[in-house]
Amino acid sequence: MPHDVPEMRNVSALAEQLGFTANHIAQFAENHSETEILQRLEKLAAWLAKVNSQNHDGVELTQVIVDHLSRNANFDELLGELTYLNEETRHGRFDINNSLQRDLEYKRYVSEAKRQREWPKTPSEQRAAFNELAMLPPPQDTSEFQLTPEDLVETKRAAYEAKLLLDFLSECRAQTDRPIIVVGNERYGRQWIVEPLEGYLNGNFEVRYDRVPSHGSMRLTVPHYLERFQRNGFPPEFMRQLSEQMSHVVIVDECSPRRTERFTKYPRGVRDLVNWFMVFNDIRAEGNGSVYESDSTLPPHHFPELKKWHEFVVVRRRIREWITPGPTYKISHWAPELKERVIMGDMIIPSKPPDFRDGKPQVILANPAIYRTEGNDLPAILEGTHPYYFNDPEKQVKEEILPGFGAHGFETRIKGFTTDEYVAAVQKRIRVELEGMLTY
């Protein structure tokens, strides 16, 4: 009997949509006509649409599942068995020895493998790894994370640097009646400096945390809060607050010790925020750069180029609805050992200590790090410690995610302590050290 060409075209199109291979179609053709195959594929497509979701739940048509569905049996009953096994798994009745029930979990494994950096990425590697998965032990709670002796020593440095910032902020508070907003830049400025100080800042300062990363930054980068859904920089409500209050803003962060012998160094992300405040100032000054350029601390040649750069223009257009004309910010620098010149990325400029005598609102770039590791005048508490030690805490401690099976099918377990537990333990110890320093 000749093949029905339109029917076969429909079968081929639907089979391709479902991810069927030529071998899969051949399996179905062993027991069914083109019309029957098309009917089955249509029912299968409807079933997959119902059970497959946008997250990790769903079903991938593996060879085991295709073998099951190509059998010469009532197709509704074959699909019904898949539904039954799915329900059994979701209700905690997974049977690892049931190959069909096991393969119904394959998509969940593949979805998770895409999220886990260390897991297999190619289809062949994923399939081989999935075949090796075994039953996992029950989840176990771990005891409280214990810091190493080196961690404990380094928390003293972190606490000391946080105290230096607190002393500086107290001096600022005594010299100005303007509100002072302390911004702990995500992550270092937040985790290791401002968060441990929160208890001492409440009442006298507003504390907030924003994210402006240094990676991917360049000399003309202007943080754009809504760009590509990356929450980098300040949210609109904070922009409005700045425009209305013109509070002093202290941006806190640290950076690597490289090139700090002759310069006070600030992260590139902080430099990007200076560029952002130039946009803010330009709107406040209604485009009159002579009003604020001398207060920027940036090289004079930087402005003609920055103002034409597309990010400056895009951000200016985006945020001008939230900012009204008025006084502008000046930029200043603070560090425990502020040098004559500061470096931000590839910009080397004269340092400008904070000065509240003129009453102008200012943005203070604050890096409380002491990068020296030796010298007769080095505080004893810093001896034997390393600047920037706690950067990238996931390199110190990171949990391992173990895949396998449990009562609910594909499951995962955590091996070891998490990075968050490490961060919490370090912060707790920094607060203890701080309390001791501030008591005596």
Side-chain angles (χ1 to χ4, degrees), residues 307-327:
K307 282 185 171 183
K308 293 184 296 182
W309 189 245
H310 70 278
E311 291 184 24
F312 185 100
V313 176
V314 167
V315 173
R316 193 186 194 284
R317 291 178 181 177
R318 181 71 182 98
I319 72 176
R320 61 189 175 190
E321 65 179 289
W322 303 317
I323 298 166
T324 57

Side-chain angles (χ1 to χ4, degrees), residues 20 23-24 27-28 31 40 61-72 78 99-100 103:
F20 266 40
N23 289 336
H24 292 158
Q27 277 186 254
F28 271 69
N31 297 316
R40 288 181 173 234
L61 296 176
T62 67
Q63 187 61 54
V64 171
I65 296 174
V66 171
D67 290 344
H68 169 76
L69 294 175
S70 62
R71 290 163 49 200
N72 189 13
L78 294 176
S99 60
L100 189 57
D103 260 45

Side-chain angles (χ1 to χ4, degrees), residues 263-283:
F263 309 108
T264 293
K265 186 178 176 184
Y266 295 94
R268 286 180 295 161
V270 169
R271 177 200 58 194
D272 293 353
L273 279 176
V274 175
N275 287 342
W276 184 90
F277 274 102
M278 293 308 99
V279 177
F280 181 92
N281 280 349
D282 196 62
I283 298 171

Side-chain angles (χ1 to χ4, degrees), residues 240-256:
R240 295 189 189 97
Q241 179 183 347
L242 290 177
S243 181
E244 294 169 2
Q245 298 181 358
M246 292 301 288
S247 308
H248 296 306
V249 181
V250 182
I251 301 173
V252 183
D253 208 355
E254 289 192 15
C255 52
S256 71

Side-chain angles (χ1 to χ4, degrees), residues 88-102:
E88 285 290 284
T89 299
R90 297 290 82 82
H91 287 87
R93 295 186 290 270
F94 176 77
D95 180 4
I96 193 174
N97 296 314
N98 186 318
S99 60
L100 189 57
Q101 190 173 15
R102 180 185 174 113

Side-chain angles (χ1 to χ4, degrees), residues 278 281-282 285 287-304 307 328-329 331 352:
M278 293 308 99
N281 280 349
D282 196 62
N288 185 358
S290 64
V291 172
Y292 66 88
E293 289 180 11
S294 61
D295 286 331
S296 73
T297 74
L298 297 176
H301 67 266
H302 182 68
F303 281 97
K307 282 185 171 183
T328 58
Y329 276 109
I331 308 297
K352 186 176 182 180

Side-chain angles (χ1 to χ4, degrees), residues 158-159 162 188-201 209 426-428 430-431 434:
Y188 201 102
R190 173 176 188 159
Q191 287 182 335
W192 310 125
I193 307 170
V194 180
E195 279 190 337
L197 283 176
E198 276 186 350
Y200 302 97
L201 299 177
Y209 303 106
V426 172
Q427 287 185 334
K428 181 178 180 180
I430 291 174
R431 293 187 184 100
L434 261 172

